Amino acid sequence: MAFNISVFNSCKFLAISVHRYDSTATSADIVISSIDPNITGSYTAAVTYDTSGNGNINIPVSNLSAATGGFKVCVLENKIEQACKPILLKCDIDCCLVKLTDELIDCSCDCPRCASTMAKAQKIFLLLASAQSAIEIAGDTLQSNSGYYQDILLKYKKAKEICDNSCGCDC
């Protein structure tokens, strides 16, 4: 009676696996919406259960209302919301950390520039780790998790702000 979400292929897809909540359900709708109130719209995909009550679907991130940030993923069976879970698409910030780490590898001393790069990377890393902890604590229940969602969004936005122009990967 749970569902799992994985981000793969450099944040190009969400892999969602769900086990039937309602024993009479043969399918479910997966509804994904941003937890950022400034980003509107949602994406819905249908998943069909096999005879064991399991369903799997890969959703292109390009179908979502944004390519990065925090999202709420919900499972609906027979139009009834069964469970919701937060997810963080953070490849943009991961790329920032890669660039900062590359800068640190090139540092050959404990100079002030290296110290500030290290401090910046540490802040970003800790913010993302804390946001991930909030995701784990929020779990996949229908209890009011809005505080966790706000916490995830706040930490993601702060990490993104700190990254500013320290963009790596494909930017």
Side-chain angles (χ1 to χ4, degrees), residues 7 72 82 99 125 145 151:
V7 180
K72 179 180 178 181
Q82 299 293 339
K99 182 177 179 191
F125 180 82
N145 291 330
D151 187 47

Side-chain angles (χ1 to χ4, degrees), residues 93 97 100 116-130 155 158-160 162-163:
I93 298 175
L97 283 172
L100 292 170
S116 66
T117 300
M118 175 62 93
K120 185 176 187 178
Q122 287 173 328
K123 286 178 190 176
I124 294 165
F125 180 82
L126 290 172
L127 285 163
L128 290 181
S130 182
K155 289 172 179 161
K158 185 63 178 178
K160 189 170 179 97
I162 294 170
C163 279

Side-chain angles (χ1 to χ4, degrees), residues 44 50 56-57 77 94 159 162:
T44 302
D50 62 19
N56 298 294
I57 189 168
E77 293 175 339
D94 288 341
I162 294 170

Side-chain angles (χ1 to χ4, degrees), residues 91-106:
C91 282
D92 56 337
I93 298 175
D94 288 341
C95 287
C96 168
L97 283 172
V98 167
K99 182 177 179 191
L100 292 170
T101 301
D102 287 346
E103 288 177 27
L104 289 168
I105 289 171
D106 291 338

